[in-house]
Amino acid sequence: MRRPTCNRPAARPFWGRPLVHWLAGLILVGSGMAWARPPGGLPRPADVPGSVRFAHSYGWLPVDGRRVVLWAGVEEPYLVDLASGCPDVRVARVAGVTTHQRRLSPRIDAFVADDKSCLIERIQPAGGSTLRALGVRRDQARDLPVLPRPTPGRSP
């Protein structure tokens, strides 16, 4: 009985490949990094420090003129600080909050009040003790529509 023969050359280990193959691989990987950013130059939401999953709003309540509590889930409250220059959210007509790719990101997304887009500066989890200290309860929360993020250079 004869053994079958293989006419293929033995595979080289990866460190034995020519330098050209290494350079081509680095170029392909490097060009893929540019594709990771969406149009407009904004970072991906998951890459923004402090961003949170926010597919649906379960309500909001103002804490003071520039801070609100947003519920991303029934038991998932976040304390959100808004940029200076925004209308007082306790008395403003609030239209909603912008999100993109099911994330809420500081310095990208905004709280829309009195037809003005107020950038979100910081998002932090708000535990039960924080909510009690602020005097905020979920059963008092107001409806908050989730708005599509406007195109850069245009206000909602």
Side-chain angles (χ1 to χ4, degrees):
M1 217 158 127
R2 290 177 73 186
R3 285 188 174 181
T5 59
C6 181
N7 293 333
R8 288 186 300 176
R12 284 194 215 169
F14 72 92
W15 57 84
R17 296 188 190 266
L19 181 60
V20 174
H21 292 166
W22 279 94
L23 292 174
L26 286 175
I27 290 170
L28 288 173
V29 169
S31 65
M33 289 177 168
W35 297 337
R37 285 186 178 248
L42 293 173
R44 292 182 307 178
D47 293 341
V48 176
S51 75
V52 296
R53 179 195 58 77
F54 200 87
H56 179 77
S57 170
Y58 286 84
W60 76 285
L61 278 173
V63 173
D64 58 36
R66 286 189 33 221
R67 290 189 320 163
V68 300
V69 174
L70 291 178
W71 278 270
V74 175
E75 298 293 326
E76 196 178 350
Y78 292 95
L79 186 60
V80 176
D81 296 329
L82 304 174
S84 60
C86 292
D88 187 334
V89 293
R90 294 173 293 189
V91 295
R93 185 183 53 80
V94 175
V97 64
T98 65
T99 63
H100 59 290
Q101 297 178 0
R102 297 178 183 251
R103 301 220 37 109
L104 184 67
S105 302
R107 294 170 301 283
I108 293 177
D109 290 311
F111 203 77
V112 180
D114 284 344
D115 295 325
K116 185 173 182 181
S117 184
C118 300
L119 278 182
I120 293 172
E121 282 188 347
R122 185 171 67 159
I123 304 167
Q124 56 191 353
S129 60
T130 302
L131 295 178
R132 282 189 293 281
L134 295 171
V136 174
R137 293 191 344 241
R138 165 123 162 62
D139 61 351
Q140 301 169 331
R142 303 175 191 171
D143 288 336
L144 183 69
V146 176
L147 306 171
R149 196 174 149 297
T151 56
R154 298 172 76 188
S155 61

